[in-house]
Amino acid sequence: MTNADTTTTTTAATPATAAGADWQAWQQSWDRQQEWYMPDREERFRIMLDMVEALVGTAPRVLDLACGTGTITARLLERFPQATSTGVDLDPALLAIAEGTFAGDERVSFVTADLKDPDWPSKLPYGSYDAVLTATALHWLHADPLADLYGRVADLVRDGGVFMNADHMIDDTTPRINAAERDQRHARMDAAKEQGALDWAEWWQLAAKDPVLAGPTARRFEIYGEHADGDMPSAAWHARVLREKGFGEARPVWCSPSDTLLLAVK
């Protein structure tokens, strides 16, 4: 690939001090690994935050849904210092990185919860949010649980607030386009791999060897097992279901050949 971040050899973080891990190094390592799959990853975040600003302003209360390492939260607070963020996830290793990164920042809190549990919203510190944001996380859910999740998200978003999901959204009506895009993307990924880019599995192997993350990583695989995808319905499906669940408007505001950023307004 031509993207510089994906052609640079990636190394995992090691503990920086006796007090803990080098969390910024782990964040950068995660970013590089994710960019191997999505070289346009930062562009979707930029558009996401553009839409946050346009619709709910520059000091929003945000729910970072399936937050992982806090990728969205980091970009949110860099752009909008007056924002606040609640991150929710179940992955103990990624949450360890997120909590270490934002330790001491009163604008940020984290909640451990399973999004397939209907009661997960009760664990949140607030009953409503200006914006619920998520990226490259919900494709592991099948369609029925995802539709149920969208209903609970709709209950959390205040009137006039927004929900955005940037993820793989596959249009099955265009199989030739899909195949050509997939072949080209994989060829570019293979070229980046030859330059030292880490894939998802390799990143986790390094995390499992780290003295600080080894325990949380082991627990993570006890919870999830090996990575498995759910359904990847089309953007039209997402928009329709979000409207059915209580959003007034929903449509794509950004897309790549394989991914879409879907925006819904309550």
Side-chain angles (χ1 to χ4, degrees):
M1 292 185 181
T2 58
N3 185 288
D5 288 335
T6 60
T7 56
T8 301
T9 300
T10 307
T11 58
T14 56
T17 69
D22 185 342
W23 299 120
Q24 287 301 327
W26 274 111
Q27 290 283 2
Q28 292 167 11
S29 176
W30 179 259
D31 284 345
R32 299 297 86 75
Q33 177 257 125
Q34 290 287 287
E35 286 164 1
W36 181 64
Y37 296 95
M38 298 167 288
D40 50 19
R41 184 169 176 254
E42 293 300 327
E43 179 68 5
R44 69 191 69 193
F45 293 141
R46 183 184 69 80
I47 298 298
M48 178 182 282
L49 295 180
D50 281 351
M51 294 297 97
V52 167
E53 181 175 2
L55 287 158
V56 298
T58 59
R61 177 190 293 169
V62 170
L63 177 61
D64 188 349
L65 191 70
C67 65
T69 66
T71 297
I72 290 175
T73 293
R75 287 148 181 81
L76 172 79
L77 297 179
E78 181 179 8
R79 178 159 170 178
F80 307 129
Q82 295 182 335
T84 58
S85 178
T86 303
V88 59
D89 208 304
L90 187 61
D91 189 312
L94 298 185
L95 278 174
I97 296 172
E99 290 167 350
T101 299
F102 297 98
D105 191 332
E106 295 182 352
R107 299 170 298 175
V108 183
S109 60
F110 293 99
V111 173
T112 300
D114 185 347
L115 296 181
K116 291 183 288 185
D117 177 359
D119 196 43
W120 69 265
S122 68
K123 299 181 179 181
L124 301 175
Y126 303 105
S128 68
Y129 288 85
D130 300 309
V132 177
L133 309 177
T134 188
T136 328
L138 301 186
H139 59 267
W140 53 268
L141 287 173
H142 291 288
D144 288 344
L146 180 56
D148 291 341
L149 176 64
Y150 279 173
R152 286 185 279 278
V153 168
D155 290 339
L156 286 168
V157 175
R158 68 162 172 83
D159 288 345
V162 301
F163 168 70
M164 278 181 269
N165 180 15
D167 210 342
H168 311 308
M169 299 184 188
I170 306 303
D171 187 342
D172 290 332
T173 68
T174 58
R176 289 182 295 170
I177 295 172
N178 298 349
E181 181 279 326
R182 183 173 56 250
D183 289 347
Q184 182 184 62
R185 173 163 42 90
H186 285 190
R188 290 176 173 174
M189 291 168 69
D190 289 345
K193 199 76 161 57
E194 293 178 358
Q195 299 296 320
L198 291 182
D199 63 22
W200 186 90
E202 290 167 332
W203 189 91
W204 281 108
Q205 289 169 6
L206 290 174
K209 296 175 182 177
D210 182 83
V212 177
L213 288 178
T217 297
R219 293 194 297 275
R220 182 244 183 254
F221 280 94
E222 289 174 1
I223 294 169
Y224 292 106
E226 294 299 324
H227 183 71
D229 285 328
D231 298 328
M232 298 185 195
S234 68
W237 180 93
H238 287 268
R240 174 180 60 80
V241 171
L242 286 164
R243 288 191 293 267
E244 290 172 354
K245 295 298 183 179
F247 287 92
E249 300 178 9
R251 71 166 177 87
V253 291
W254 173 91
C255 69
S256 72
S258 61
D259 290 12
T260 296
L261 172 59
L262 201 293
L263 165 63
V265 181
K266 185 76 172 288

